[in-house]
Amino acid sequence: MNRIQRYLPASLSAILAVACGGGINPDSGQGTALVCPRTCTDSSTVPSAQLRHAYALVSDGVAMQAQAGFSTGSDLRFNVELKNGDSLQLLTPQGVQGFHVPASSIGTILIDALTTLIAGARPYLSEVDALPSGAADYRFVLTRNAGGISETVTMPAPFQIALPAGGSTSDIAAPTLTVRVTSPGNYRFATAGSCSDSNGNASTGNGIGDLAPTTPPAADASGASYTVDLAAALLRLQFETRFPRGAIAACDLTLTALAQNDGVPDAAFEAVNSRVFAQQIRSTRFLLRATR
């Protein structure tokens, strides 16, 4: 069964630059024990007030996966292993399921697609087999000898990118791009890909960057439309200099749309930088050419 990939970079634009392209990776199955940067700390020895956690729920529309990691002290990397009566469960609309340590070395978890990355030990994983048809609540429950600590996060409603259509061609001379998604939400957009200029120079990296909406979205019953500043994103490109620099002539781009909801960490966790959030991520590929 396919599983959600762990994204390595710390910004939405950097996500798009991952060489493997993001999306779905196979989960390696059950591992034997957590592997920490140094020595794992036994969770039962850490008071809740000193336990920092990161809970993430991610879906690409094909699969959904919950990720979780714990740390303590000044080192933000995951360094705490759930032991001696401490356990984590995910409460879904279909029931209760546990977490496992993956057998392969993952080593990272996306804490916020726009800001921060926490790394260290491999995160605990839980595969969610049934995808919701709309926005749905999921609850992370950490069971300790003193009782349970639960946090709820709402997975955004699933959506598709209606515009630009996959494989379509947009006018490279247009300064803006219309992005339409099939469900209203709190979205961020970014592009990555390759471009060439009129003299034959090629772009030297595939990260183009975040796309900033130029106006508030136009929402209706079937979704929402955004006008994004494509020209500003293309200006951030770096090119080879084999030939004199010319105007950008053509691009092969991937647009990624991300909808995120943040939950509220339980007051029992007093350590700063604890996070709980849920994301829907979609991508589509399109071309930029001179169309007139």
Side-chain angles (χ1 to χ4, degrees):
M1 179 177 178
N2 286 332
R3 312 301 190 205
I4 294 293
Q5 173 175 333
R6 271 57 55 189
Y7 293 100
L8 302 183
S11 70
L12 179 53
S13 57
I15 287 173
L16 300 173
V18 180
C20 55
I24 301 295
N25 272 346
D27 186 353
S28 56
Q30 183 76 40
T32 57
L34 209 65
V35 178
C36 297
R38 296 183 179 86
T39 301
C40 291
T41 299
D42 183 336
S43 63
S44 66
T45 67
V46 182
S48 297
Q50 298 175 20
L51 190 63
R52 187 183 302 109
H53 73 284
Y55 296 154
L57 189 65
V58 185
S59 175
D60 67 353
V62 177
M64 185 187 301
Q65 185 179 81
Q67 304 177 1
F70 301 89
S71 61
T72 190
S74 59
D75 190 346
L76 296 182
R77 294 177 299 173
F78 297 154
N79 57 19
V80 173
E81 183 177 9
L82 296 179
K83 297 179 69 175
N84 295 322
D86 288 351
S87 63
L88 184 66
Q89 292 180 314
L90 183 70
L91 276 60
T92 78
Q94 288 73 39
V96 181
Q97 56 189 68
F99 283 74
H100 68 275
V101 176
S104 67
S105 179
I106 292 171
T108 58
I109 184 172
L110 182 69
I111 297 308
D112 187 314
L114 308 175
T115 55
T116 307
L117 177 75
I118 299 296
R122 299 168 295 185
Y124 292 98
L125 304 181
S126 186
E127 310 302 334
V128 184
D129 293 328
L131 301 184
S133 58
D137 289 344
Y138 293 81
R139 183 179 299 175
F140 292 81
V141 179
L142 176 63
T143 300
R144 317 201 74 189
N145 291 332
I149 304 173
S150 66
E151 295 174 9
T152 298
V153 65
T154 301
M155 172 59 77
F159 69 92
Q160 299 300 324
I161 300 174
L163 291 176
S168 64
T169 299
S170 296
D171 187 2
I172 198 167
T176 61
L177 177 72
T178 298
V179 179
R180 181 162 182 83
V181 290
T182 57
S183 177
N186 180 24
Y187 289 95
R188 291 292 300 267
F189 305 100
T191 54
S194 59
C195 295
S196 59
D197 70 13
S198 56
N199 292 332
N201 295 304
S203 57
T204 56
N206 65 357
I208 294 177
D210 295 353
L211 292 175
T214 59
T215 59
D220 54 44
S222 61
S225 296
Y226 293 77
T227 300
V228 297
D229 190 349
L230 184 60
L234 294 178
L235 285 175
R236 294 193 288 267
L237 282 171
Q238 301 294 316
F239 280 83
E240 300 170 340
T241 56
R242 292 183 300 163
F243 309 105
R245 183 72 169 85
I248 299 176
C251 296
D252 185 342
L253 301 178
T254 295
L255 170 79
T256 290
L258 180 149
Q260 177 170 310
N261 286 331
D262 290 291
V264 178
D266 191 279
F269 295 111
E270 297 177 9
V272 296
N273 296 320
S274 287
R275 291 295 308 276
V276 54
F277 66 93
Q279 297 176 336
Q280 293 274 6
I281 303 173
R282 304 290 188 274
S283 296
T284 189
R285 184 178 174 183
F286 68 103
L287 304 176
L288 289 179
R289 300 285 189 276
T291 59
R292 61 178 182 273

